[in-house]
Amino acid sequence: MKHTTLPLVAKALGEKYDIQVQISGDQAYTNGRIINLPSLPDSKEAALLARGYIDHESAHIRFTDFSVKSSTSMLKCLTNILEDIRIEKMMGAKYPGCRSNLKDLAEHLKQQGSFTPSLQDPPQTLLAWLCARGRLTLNQDFSDILAMTSSTVNGFLGTGYKKLLDLTERIPNLVSTRDSQSMAEEILRLIRDKKQQQEQERKRQQDQKTKTTCSSDGSKPDGSSNDQEEDNQTSGTDQQSGKPKQDTDDSSLDGDSTGTAACKDSQSQAAANPSPSVPESGSGGELGGNPEALQEMLDCDPGGFGDVGEILKHELITEGETVGNRGGVLLPPEASLRTFPIDIHETRRHTALLRARLSGLIQASRLRRRHARRTGSKIDNRVMHRLALNDTRLFLHQEEKTEVNTAIMILVDRSGSMQHQKIEVASKTAYVVAEALDSIPGCFAAVAAFPVGNSDGVAPLVRFGERPCSSKFGMSAGGGTPLAQALYWAGVELLKREEPRKILLSVTDGEPDDLRTTKRAIRWLLEQGIEPMGLGICEESVRTIFPTYGVVYSVEELPPALFGMLQDKLTK
């Protein structure tokens, strides 16, 4: 796989979904308008994660209502899982290729163990079960996760498990974020109700057990015994008859006290040590279940278990760490730039001169060279006299010259170091070059400026196929010089073109923020078959950066300088 795959795919997906995608830094995030990927290695796994993240987050941006808020951590996790399933279904219906990408991504994350819960953790087990149950509706193979968690969730809920199954049958019918949250609330309500019923059933069973234990000891629940009642009745009779009361046997007293103590001990032990949870639905009573596990589901924070977006963030950051000092391809976002007209009357003369020289150069390169050689099928009548000299080069041969078929991207540096005269020369230079190239058949030019504001953004001024307009070239200078990011952006734009010849011309003072990363970007451009050129504005530092370069101090110097740079490039 070529190293261009990731930035090209990121750019293409961003344009397809009408979302800004950038590759920079070491974090993965989205702010609702821009999706940022960290600089990633050239690997199939990194490409899969990046494509999946773009697809998934684009679906959220397109279909999720971010105004819906959750009151508890568990409600948020349940809602996120249901919402992930809902938006992936909608994204797959709109973009069939996206369905395949997300299916491959889910399988990869499953194999990595991202959806495998600890069965000793009730919240994780429930979330994994719900995730598997929902993703089966997307034709994703989560039957193993469902089989792993079903019996445990069944044991937690008891007879409530059937109601949970019936409730989740409606997952394919979710049409909004509010619907996802409503189903999550129903799940929690079911858990809360079953917990209360299980506690009531457990208390009833404990009370019944206490009565049974007391009856077997010959005691009543109030602690009195049948023997004591008989003694009291006998004593009362004797007193009424005037006879003295019989002495009570010590052993019978000990027996009574022991029975009463045993009953009380049984009650206290039952309260302190409730009966163990029942692993199977319906066993251990009418309801079965595990109220302690259900309470944990209601109270605990699962930490985003099952949230595909959060899982992908961590995976992408981990992949980005493998890049290290080698760095990866950067892709800054596109941005808009406020421009103003430039004085075209002064530039017309320079444009005409450059156009004339370039047109003459192209015309000469298109001419067919004719010469005679010793073999062929057609005799050249102009050289028949060579027979008298024993020269057998009599056959006509025409050498075809390749037509110009070139895409040229012009980058204008508008950093703070380009203020005053430099930015004026640079903007007029870009306009002259773009207008001159636009008149040459087979040449397609585009122009962009960087940076935009305080970011690393790049602002397209003229797209491929558009006519240069002087009102788009007047600009102010300010900010840093993220030349490397701009080179990567321009490189990706050129790689999307079908022209076999691709040239990138940077109009800059040649003082980038990061020289090392800039040189790495130059090497990447060369590897992709793009020819980088640097036109220094009042500075000669471009000599140390670009393999082909020129330097101008005024617009008047532009035609000869640029002609010298393009002469070989356009006629090869």
Side-chain angles (χ1 to χ4, degrees):
M1 182 179 65
K2 294 182 66 176
H3 196 53
T4 59
T5 301
L6 178 57
L8 278 177
V9 167
K11 184 74 172 176
L13 289 176
E15 293 175 354
K16 181 178 180 180
Y17 303 146
D18 194 24
I19 299 293
Q20 285 283 338
V21 178
Q22 65 185 37
I23 302 175
S24 63
D26 57 1
Q27 297 296 312
Y29 62 86
T30 178
N31 60 8
R33 296 178 297 103
I34 296 176
I35 295 176
N36 185 82
L37 298 172
S39 185
L40 296 169
D42 181 16
S43 67
K44 290 183 179 180
E45 183 173 353
L48 175 64
L49 293 172
R51 293 185 64 164
Y53 187 70
I54 294 172
D55 285 346
H56 185 83
E57 293 303 324
S58 296
H60 272 305
I61 292 172
R62 187 179 293 270
F63 300 117
T64 294
D65 180 2
F66 293 99
S67 66
V68 176
K69 305 296 182 182
S70 299
S71 57
T72 66
S73 298
M74 194 62 183
L75 177 61
K76 180 179 179 181
C77 288
L78 290 168
T79 303
N80 282 343
I81 287 177
L82 294 170
E83 184 69 359
D84 284 349
I85 295 165
R86 185 185 72 83
I87 63 168
E88 288 187 17
K89 177 185 175 183
M90 297 182 70
M91 199 70 168
K94 189 174 183 64
Y95 304 102
C98 179
R99 184 189 303 117
S100 177
N101 292 341
L102 291 172
K103 184 176 182 180
D104 292 342
L105 173 69
E107 180 63 26
H108 171 78
L109 295 179
K110 189 185 75 167
Q111 296 299 327
Q112 294 288 100
S114 300
F115 298 109
T116 303
S118 167
L119 296 180
Q120 306 303 316
D121 187 323
Q124 273 194 15
T125 305
L126 175 67
L127 293 173
W129 180 90
L130 181 64
C131 184
R133 178 95 169 138
R135 290 194 171 275
L136 284 173
T137 66
L138 301 177
N139 293 321
Q140 296 176 4
D141 186 10
F142 272 66
S143 55
D144 51 347
I145 300 292
L146 188 63
M148 175 194 306
T149 55
S150 291
S151 61
T152 306
V153 175
N154 188 358
F156 291 155
L157 282 171
T159 56
Y161 183 69
K162 177 62 169 59
K163 292 184 179 180
L164 182 63
L165 287 174
D166 294 340
L167 176 60
T168 53
E169 286 289 338
R170 306 196 327 253
I171 288 178
N173 301 326
L174 299 174
V175 296
S176 68
T177 307
R178 187 71 64 183
D179 285 351
S180 298
Q181 187 181 69
S182 296
M183 181 173 285
E185 290 172 342
E186 288 187 67
I187 293 173
L188 290 179
R189 193 178 304 117
L190 171 64
I191 293 173
R192 191 175 295 109
D193 291 345
K194 290 304 169 184
K195 180 186 78 73
Q196 293 175 356
Q197 292 178 24
Q198 290 172 13
E199 287 176 341
Q200 292 172 0
E201 175 65 15
R202 177 177 289 182
K203 185 175 184 301
R204 187 188 67 80
Q205 292 177 358
Q206 290 171 356
D207 291 344
Q208 183 65 35
K209 183 177 180 181
T210 300
K211 291 179 180 179
T212 303
T213 302
C214 292
S215 298
S216 64
D217 289 339
S219 304
K220 290 188 176 181
D222 60 1
S224 63
S225 65
N226 292 330
D227 292 340
Q228 285 177 317
E229 288 185 1
E230 292 176 358
D231 289 343
N232 291 336
Q233 292 174 359
T234 303
S235 175
T237 302
D238 291 342
Q239 289 176 0
Q240 291 175 1
S241 62
K243 294 181 181 180
K245 183 180 178 180
Q246 300 288 333
D247 292 337
T248 304
D249 188 358
D250 291 341
S251 62
S252 66
L253 287 175
D254 291 340
D256 290 340
S257 63
T258 303
T260 304
C263 181
K264 292 182 178 180
D265 289 342
S266 175
Q267 289 176 319
S268 62
Q269 288 177 1
N273 300 309
S275 58
S277 61
V278 183
E280 296 295 337
S281 172
S283 62
E286 182 183 352
L287 295 174
N290 186 332
E292 291 80 12
L294 298 183
Q295 186 63 50
E296 191 174 348
M297 291 178 188
L298 296 171
D299 295 340
C300 291
D301 182 357
F305 181 88
D307 187 335
V308 174
E310 290 299 320
I311 294 171
L312 284 174
K313 283 182 183 180
H314 295 300
E315 292 283 333
L316 286 167
I317 292 172
T318 301
E319 283 292 315
E321 291 173 350
T322 65
V323 175
N325 294 327
R326 293 180 290 109
V329 177
L330 305 175
L331 184 62
E334 292 184 5
S336 59
L337 177 65
R338 180 177 297 179
T339 58
F340 51 86
I342 60 172
D343 182 7
I344 61 174
H345 300 289
E346 181 186 351
T347 62
R348 285 295 185 189
R349 179 171 58 86
H350 307 297
T351 301
L353 180 58
L354 182 60
R355 183 190 298 114
R357 298 191 67 173
L358 290 176
S359 297
L361 177 67
I362 299 304
Q363 183 179 5
S365 68
R366 288 177 179 169
L367 294 178
R368 297 178 177 181
R369 295 182 56 196
R370 303 176 60 182
H371 62 273
R373 62 182 183 179
R374 290 182 173 84
T375 60
S377 60
K378 186 177 181 181
I379 295 178
D380 188 353
N381 294 326
R382 298 173 305 166
V383 295
M384 291 297 294
H385 62 277
R386 293 180 179 180
L387 286 172
L389 303 174
N390 293 326
D391 189 345
T392 58
R393 292 176 297 167
L394 305 176
F395 296 93
L396 180 63
H397 175 71
Q398 289 186 335
E399 183 178 302
E400 298 287 344
K401 292 297 262 186
T402 303
E403 294 287 338
V404 174
N405 194 9
T406 304
I408 301 179
M409 171 65 74
I410 304 168
L411 278 179
V412 180
D413 176 7
R414 56 175 298 273
S415 60
S417 60
M418 292 283 291
Q419 288 182 353
H420 308 303
Q421 180 189 2
K422 288 184 180 181
I423 190 62
E424 182 180 355
V425 173
S427 57
K428 290 181 178 180
T429 295
Y431 175 73
V432 168
V433 175
E435 193 177 41
L437 293 174
D438 182 65
S439 64
I440 299 176
C443 263
F444 301 89
V447 184
F450 72 97
V452 179
N454 296 322
S455 69
D456 296 339
V458 179
L461 304 179
V462 179
R463 301 277 188 179
F464 285 106
E466 293 181 355
R467 296 292 302 272
C469 179
S470 61
S471 63
K472 296 182 178 181
F473 284 81
M475 65 191 82
S476 59
T481 312
L483 180 57
Q485 289 87 331
L487 291 174
Y488 280 123
W489 178 89
V492 171
E493 288 294 308
L494 284 168
L495 287 171
K496 290 163 32 180
R497 301 293 300 177
E498 296 181 355
E499 290 79 13
R501 199 71 180 277
K502 300 174 177 63
I503 298 174
L504 200 166
L505 174 63
S506 299
V507 183
T508 176
D509 61 359
E511 298 180 1
D513 291 341
D514 189 339
L515 181 59
R516 181 178 180 181
T517 306
T518 301
K519 289 185 175 181
R520 186 187 300 134
I522 296 292
R523 290 194 298 270
W524 178 79
L525 292 170
L526 292 170
E527 290 173 0
Q528 309 311 319
I530 299 173
E531 302 169 59
M533 301 166 55
L535 184 63
I537 303 298
C538 306
E539 294 286 348
E540 297 190 2
S541 54
V542 290
R543 300 176 185 271
T544 62
I545 301 175
F546 295 92
T548 303
Y549 59 87
V551 179
V552 297
Y553 292 87
S554 64
V555 181
E556 287 77 6
E557 299 178 11
L558 177 61
L562 191 60
F563 181 82
M565 295 167 62
L566 293 176
Q567 182 175 9
D568 293 335
K569 301 291 183 184
L570 295 179
T571 57
K572 282 183 180 179

XYZ file of all heavy atoms in Angstrom, residues 231-274:
307
model
N -47.367 -24.116 81.011
C -46.969 -23.875 82.406
C -47.766 -22.741 83.009
O -48.175 -22.779 84.166
C -45.475 -23.568 82.479
C -44.640 -24.811 82.193
O -45.212 -25.923 82.260
O -43.425 -24.648 81.892
N -47.929 -21.661 82.167
C -48.679 -20.515 82.684
C -50.125 -20.899 83.000
O -50.691 -20.487 84.013
C -48.653 -19.370 81.680
C -47.261 -18.763 81.554
O -46.476 -18.883 82.485
N -46.992 -18.102 80.434
N -50.700 -21.723 82.078
C -52.071 -22.149 82.339
C -52.158 -23.012 83.601
O -53.045 -22.853 84.427
C -52.604 -22.931 81.128
C -52.801 -22.061 79.891
C -53.187 -22.882 78.679
O -53.287 -24.115 78.784
N -53.407 -22.200 77.578
N -51.218 -23.926 83.786
C -51.209 -24.798 84.977
C -51.017 -23.986 86.238
O -51.679 -24.193 87.256
C -50.089 -25.836 84.855
O -50.282 -26.570 83.655
C -50.102 -26.768 86.055
N -50.087 -23.042 86.170
C -49.821 -22.207 87.342
C -51.054 -21.415 87.729
O -51.386 -21.282 88.888
C -48.646 -21.268 87.028
O -48.430 -20.377 88.082
N -51.720 -20.904 86.674
C -52.936 -20.136 86.967
C -53.993 -21.000 87.638
O -54.664 -20.586 88.561
N -54.124 -22.262 87.219
C -55.121 -23.172 87.795
C -54.801 -23.486 89.240
O -55.656 -23.469 90.110
C -55.180 -24.472 86.977
O -55.496 -24.160 85.640
C -56.226 -25.423 87.558
N -53.507 -23.728 89.516
C -53.101 -24.054 90.880
C -53.367 -22.887 91.812
O -53.776 -23.063 92.950
C -51.623 -24.429 90.917
C -51.378 -25.764 90.213
O -52.358 -26.517 90.020
O -50.207 -26.014 89.826
N -53.061 -21.698 91.296
C -53.272 -20.540 92.171
C -54.742 -20.354 92.494
O -55.118 -20.006 93.601
C -52.718 -19.282 91.482
C -51.194 -19.272 91.424
C -50.674 -18.077 90.649
O -51.479 -17.282 90.173
N -49.359 -17.987 90.551
N -55.577 -20.624 91.441
C -57.004 -20.473 91.690
C -57.519 -21.527 92.676
O -58.428 -21.287 93.449
C -57.772 -20.583 90.355
C -57.526 -19.394 89.441
C -58.191 -19.575 88.102
O -58.851 -20.613 87.893
N -58.033 -18.584 87.253
N -56.935 -22.720 92.656
C -57.399 -23.791 93.575
C -56.785 -23.678 94.946
O -57.083 -24.465 95.829
C -57.049 -25.161 92.977
O -55.647 -25.281 92.839
N -55.872 -22.734 95.103
C -55.249 -22.524 96.409
C -54.121 -23.443 96.724
O -53.638 -23.475 97.830
N -53.731 -24.276 95.719
C -52.628 -25.203 95.935
C -51.324 -24.523 95.648
O -51.248 -23.654 94.793
C -52.773 -26.432 95.032
C -54.000 -27.286 95.397
C -54.083 -28.495 94.493
C -55.310 -29.345 94.838
N -55.431 -30.545 93.984
N -50.271 -24.925 96.385
C -48.971 -24.285 96.133
C -48.445 -24.646 94.750
O -48.716 -25.712 94.209
C -48.083 -24.863 97.249
C -48.716 -26.166 97.601
C -50.194 -25.985 97.428
N -47.690 -23.705 94.166
C -47.116 -23.881 92.813
C -46.006 -24.900 92.847
O -45.188 -24.929 93.752
C -46.577 -22.544 92.331
C -46.037 -22.592 90.912
C -45.528 -21.215 90.505
C -44.955 -21.260 89.111
N -44.454 -19.953 88.711
N -46.001 -25.793 91.749
C -44.975 -26.825 91.651
C -43.639 -26.203 91.283
O -43.572 -25.214 90.553
C -45.369 -27.848 90.572
C -46.685 -28.555 90.857
C -46.531 -29.546 92.006
O -45.454 -30.084 92.268
N -47.613 -29.767 92.757
N -42.556 -26.819 91.821
C -41.219 -26.359 91.429
C -40.980 -26.658 89.961
O -41.337 -27.714 89.444
C -40.138 -27.055 92.282
C -40.196 -26.605 93.725
O -40.731 -25.484 93.935
O -39.720 -27.363 94.596
N -40.350 -25.726 89.311
C -40.067 -25.887 87.868
C -38.762 -26.605 87.679
O -37.770 -26.300 88.326
C -39.974 -24.510 87.192
O -41.197 -23.813 87.450
C -39.793 -24.658 85.698
N -38.760 -27.571 86.719
C -37.549 -28.352 86.432
C -36.535 -27.459 85.734
O -36.847 -26.764 84.775
C -37.915 -29.540 85.538
C -36.732 -30.490 85.371
O -35.665 -30.174 85.918
O -36.915 -31.512 84.692
N -35.294 -27.429 86.221
C -34.245 -26.582 85.624
C -33.985 -26.945 84.182
O -33.691 -26.093 83.351
C -32.943 -26.725 86.432
C -33.088 -26.098 87.807
O -34.023 -25.273 87.960
O -32.254 -26.436 88.685
N -34.073 -28.251 83.875
C -33.756 -28.649 82.504
C -34.773 -28.095 81.521
O -34.435 -27.715 80.413
C -33.720 -30.190 82.408
O -34.999 -30.723 82.725
N -36.058 -28.006 81.923
C -37.070 -27.446 81.024
C -36.839 -25.964 80.802
O -37.049 -25.441 79.726
C -38.468 -27.695 81.573
O -38.648 -26.974 82.775
N -36.370 -25.254 81.825
C -36.055 -23.842 81.647
C -34.926 -23.662 80.663
O -34.935 -22.785 79.815
C -35.693 -23.226 83.005
C -36.859 -23.000 83.966
C -36.337 -22.507 85.316
C -37.851 -22.028 83.388
N -33.900 -24.508 80.806
C -32.778 -24.393 79.855
C -33.255 -24.654 78.434
O -32.832 -24.004 77.486
C -31.677 -25.383 80.235
C -30.986 -24.996 81.528
O -31.087 -23.792 81.904
O -30.371 -25.875 82.139
N -34.146 -25.627 78.286
C -34.628 -25.931 76.936
C -35.395 -24.781 76.346
O -35.267 -24.462 75.178
N -36.196 -24.122 77.127
C -36.969 -22.983 76.612
C -36.063 -21.849 76.190
O -36.226 -21.236 75.138
C -37.951 -22.499 77.682
C -39.080 -23.507 77.895
O -39.274 -24.327 76.979
O -39.740 -23.420 78.943
N -35.079 -21.527 77.000
C -34.196 -20.399 76.683
C -33.367 -20.689 75.451
O -33.087 -19.818 74.642
C -33.294 -20.088 77.890
O -32.465 -21.199 78.163
N -32.965 -21.940 75.296
C -32.171 -22.297 74.116
C -32.987 -22.148 72.855
O -32.518 -21.652 71.836
C -31.652 -23.744 74.241
O -30.907 -23.856 75.431
C -30.830 -24.142 73.034
N -34.244 -22.568 72.872
C -35.106 -22.453 71.686
C -35.333 -21.009 71.312
O -35.306 -20.642 70.146
N -35.550 -20.161 72.301
C -35.757 -18.737 72.010
C -34.516 -18.104 71.423
O -34.574 -17.343 70.459
C -36.159 -18.008 73.303
O -37.320 -18.638 73.842
C -36.435 -16.544 73.016
N -33.358 -18.399 71.954
C -32.098 -17.830 71.452
C -31.827 -18.282 70.034
O -31.336 -17.526 69.198
C -30.940 -18.243 72.366
N -32.138 -19.557 69.759
C -31.899 -20.073 68.402
C -32.751 -19.324 67.397
O -32.308 -19.009 66.294
C -32.212 -21.569 68.362
N -33.994 -19.033 67.752
C -34.874 -18.300 66.840
C -34.341 -16.909 66.570
O -34.301 -16.448 65.439
C -36.270 -18.238 67.449
S -37.476 -17.369 66.413
N -33.879 -16.221 67.630
C -33.352 -14.869 67.460
C -32.072 -14.870 66.643
O -31.840 -14.025 65.798
C -33.117 -14.234 68.825
C -34.416 -13.953 69.565
C -34.140 -13.283 70.906
C -35.444 -12.958 71.610
N -35.216 -12.312 72.927
N -31.206 -15.876 66.909
C -29.966 -15.965 66.123
C -30.273 -16.186 64.659
O -29.611 -15.646 63.764
C -29.082 -17.101 66.661
C -28.484 -16.758 68.010
O -28.462 -15.549 68.351
O -28.026 -17.690 68.693
N -31.265 -17.000 64.380
C -31.633 -17.279 62.987
C -32.100 -16.016 62.302
O -31.754 -15.742 61.150
C -32.722 -18.346 62.944
O -33.177 -18.548 61.624
N -32.861 -15.194 63.006
C -33.352 -13.948 62.413
C -32.208 -12.985 62.121
O -32.150 -12.363 61.070
C -34.357 -13.293 63.359
C -35.686 -14.056 63.439
C -36.608 -13.433 64.447
O -36.142 -13.036 65.518
N -37.895 -13.346 64.123
N -31.298 -12.837 63.078
C -30.178 -11.901 62.873
C -29.258 -12.350 61.760
O -28.757 -11.550 60.978
C -29.387 -11.738 64.179
O -28.828 -12.979 64.565
N -28.997 -13.665 61.655
C -28.138 -14.166 60.586
C -28.792 -13.964 59.225
O -28.130 -13.643 58.244
C -27.838 -15.648 60.807
C -26.892 -15.898 61.976
C -26.680 -17.381 62.221
O -27.231 -18.204 61.497
N -25.901 -17.708 63.234
N -30.096 -14.141 59.137
C -30.788 -13.945 57.856
C -30.709 -12.497 57.410
O -30.593 -12.204 56.224
C -32.247 -14.380 57.990
N -30.777 -11.583 58.360
C -30.694 -10.167 57.997
C -29.292 -9.779 57.566
O -29.090 -8.982 56.663
C -31.144 -9.299 59.181
N -28.284 -10.333 58.269
C -26.891 -9.972 57.957
C -26.374 -10.653 56.711
O -25.529 -10.117 56.004
C -25.992 -10.310 59.149
N -26.836 -11.871 56.406
C -26.341 -12.646 55.263
C -27.502 -13.031 54.360
O -28.107 -14.086 54.531
C -25.618 -13.916 55.740
C -24.435 -13.586 56.626
O -23.595 -12.785 56.261
N -24.400 -14.185 57.808
N -27.874 -12.150 53.422
C -28.975 -12.494 52.528
C -28.632 -13.689 51.674
O -27.472 -14.005 51.452
C -29.144 -11.223 51.670
C -27.832 -10.522 51.758
C -27.285 -10.842 53.109
